Amino acid sequence: MRKRALLLPAALLLAASGCSGGGSDPAGSGPSASPSTTSTTAVSQPPSESSPPTTAPSLPTDVSTSLNAIDALQEHTCAAGPDGQWTFKGTLVNSSDKAKKYTVAIAVTVGAAVQGHALITETVQAGKSAEVSAEKFAKTAGQTGTCEPVVSVEDAS
């Protein structure tokens, strides 16, 4: 009976140190980590996902490309005819001293649903302008919908 009494405190001491993680190895990979601690950590971690950046990305030092050149698009219209067919027209104006390649993206939406879209790419020489258009690129029920252009520009090669 005396032998059993000595083993009980020793067993409790080992169990307590195993549950607390013992040691200073936070990864749980050292000799003091118990197998159940290691497997619980691996199971409880969510799948790896990249989190969104907490700071805005730095702007490139090469300013030959701009993703926001809406000012270059002037006198633009985007409207549906009575049959629901959408037409876009506008003028790209290059006021710089270099030839530029413009990309105009147009989308017609009703709520969150895209009804149609068009992508127009046009190179405009320095100090010049160019007419751009897209006919019947979207169709809606009647004249309902929203049409929004987005313009980007880069140096022409």
Side-chain angles (χ1 to χ4, degrees):
M1 185 70 160
R2 182 164 168 76
K3 202 177 209 187
R4 189 184 244 178
L6 289 175
L7 289 177
L8 184 60
L12 289 174
L13 181 61
L14 285 174
S17 68
C19 291
S20 69
S24 62
D25 185 8
S29 61
S32 66
S34 69
S36 64
T37 303
T38 303
S39 67
T40 302
T41 301
V43 172
S44 66
Q45 291 179 345
S48 177
E49 293 181 17
S50 61
S51 58
T54 55
T55 59
S58 62
L59 296 175
T61 55
D62 174 17
V63 291
S64 65
T65 302
S66 172
L67 299 177
N68 187 13
I70 195 67
D71 293 342
L73 181 62
Q74 298 180 4
E75 300 175 15
H76 68 277
T77 61
C78 190
D83 61 351
Q85 295 284 344
W86 286 77
T87 299
F88 169 83
K89 293 180 182 180
T91 303
L92 290 169
V93 178
N94 180 357
S95 57
S96 76
D97 59 353
K98 291 183 180 178
K100 300 287 184 178
K101 182 169 85 172
Y102 295 91
T103 301
V104 182
I106 311 131
V108 173
T109 57
V110 175
V114 176
Q115 303 300 311
H117 58 85
L119 193 63
I120 304 165
T121 301
E122 184 75 31
T123 299
V124 181
Q125 297 304 314
K128 303 287 182 180
S129 62
E131 301 295 318
V132 291
S133 65
E135 293 188 29
K136 299 182 181 183
F137 69 94
K139 182 170 173 106
T140 59
Q143 297 174 318
T144 61
T146 302
C147 179
E148 292 293 330
V150 176
V151 181
S152 64
V153 62
E154 59 187 284
D155 288 343
S157 37

